[in-house]
Amino acid sequence: NAGVTQTPKFQVLKTGQSMTLQCAQDMNHEYMSWYRQDPGMGLRLIHYSVGAGITDQGEVPNGYNVSRSTTEDFPLRLLSAAPSQTSVYFCASSYRVFTEAFFGQGTRLTVV
Amino acid sequence: AQSVTQLGSHVSVSEGALVLLRCNYSSSVPPYLFWYVQYPNQGLQLLLKYTTGATLVKGINGFEAEFKKSETSFHLTKPSAHMSDAAEYFCAVSVIERQGAQKLVFGQGTRLTINP
């Protein structure tokens, strides 16, 4: 059972480049979310989805885009990378928002 | 909107001593409350959760937390610290808002250090 799989684990981007962070889960969870983790700021919610075809903004959505075409996949797109987006990104999934969340291993992104 | 405040970004205790990590929340609707732990270079994993019912919740690895509505608190405790408890701990609240938003929101985290 793979759980939540994030790719890539590490990425270096130049300012202005775009990229997609991949997230897939095999637990048939309805709720999926993306967070960024920065020192001293905990995890901040970027976007979330309550099911296929439904997404909504979290606390820090600017500069990021998401879509949810299937239950399993929830990719996060950086439209035009900026140094302020240097962070560790975590994808999580749960059956519902109030049930246990399972996290991927994270993607460490550096924007230069 | 809901929010979570963890008091103390770093807590240091001796092995065998009581662990107390503080968490206060704000929410306009009844909350679901969680504690997660993160070991170095890993994702988060659930320690325990409060949904409804008994206000004292027991989790894995000997941790427990008490939901106090009057104090809007959900502090995490462990009677006797072990070296393997060294990690970062996150308090989180999930709320289904009347407008339909469903969010799981985390506090800033508390790094727990255990001294031999």
Side-chain angles (χ1 to χ4, degrees):
Chain A
N1 192 341
V4 179
T5 303
Q6 282 184 243
T7 55
K9 287 188 169 52
F10 301 94
Q11 183 70 50
V12 179
L13 285 180
K14 293 182 178 179
T15 297
Q17 286 185 316
S18 62
M19 79 161 293
T20 299
L21 307 185
Q22 301 291 344
C23 176
Q25 53 93 7
D26 61 358
M27 296 172 281
N28 202 31
H29 285 167
E30 293 294 327
Y31 189 87
M32 295 186 73
S33 51
W34 276 101
Y35 295 87
R36 59 177 290 172
Q37 183 176 23
D38 302 290
M41 305 194 75
L43 279 78
R44 291 182 291 169
L45 181 64
I46 305 172
H47 286 284
Y48 69 93
S49 168
V50 298
I54 306 170
T55 64
D56 204 350
Q57 296 181 349
E59 305 166 280
V60 289
N62 292 341
Y64 307 95
N65 207 353
V66 293
S67 60
R68 184 99 178 266
S69 56
T70 67
T71 299
E72 294 78 20
D73 300 298
F74 190 44
L76 177 72
R77 297 181 186 84
L78 278 71
L79 308 173
S80 177
S84 61
Q85 294 179 304
T86 293
S87 186
V88 180
Y89 291 83
F90 286 99
C91 178
S93 77
S94 58
Y95 182 60
R96 294 284 188 266
V97 69
F98 49 82
T99 59
E100 178 181 0
F102 293 83
F103 284 79
Q105 292 296 298
T107 296
R108 187 173 294 274
L109 176 68
T110 302
V111 182
V112 298
Chain B
Q2 69 275 20
S3 67
V4 179
T5 302
Q6 291 183 239
L7 300 176
S9 58
H10 290 91
V11 170
S12 182
V13 302
S14 299
E15 191 174 17
L18 171 72
V19 174
L20 171 60
L21 305 183
R22 299 178 187 272
C23 172
N24 288 89
Y25 70 92
S26 68
S27 174
S28 57
V29 297
Y32 298 91
L33 296 162
F34 306 82
W35 276 99
Y36 284 84
V37 61
Q38 184 182 33
Y39 298 102
N41 300 314
Q42 294 188 24
L44 281 69
Q45 55 185 273
L46 182 68
L47 269 181
L48 50 78
K49 66 178 180 182
Y50 170 80
T51 53
T52 59
T55 56
L56 182 62
V57 181
K58 296 188 185 299
I60 62 172
N61 301 336
F63 284 94
E64 61 183 36
E66 186 171 10
F67 170 58
K68 292 187 176 181
K69 185 178 179 180
S70 60
E71 298 177 9
T72 61
S73 69
F74 191 56
H75 301 330
L76 182 71
T77 60
K78 181 174 181 177
S80 178
H82 192 274
M83 295 299 291
S84 61
D85 294 327
E88 188 149 22
Y89 292 79
F90 293 92
C91 183
V93 59
S94 74
V95 175
I96 301 174
E97 298 173 352
R98 290 185 179 86
Q99 311 90 300
Q102 301 184 28
K103 299 179 180 178
L104 177 62
V105 176
F106 286 83
Q108 303 93 322
T110 298
R111 183 168 301 278
L112 177 64
T113 301
I114 311 297
N115 302 312

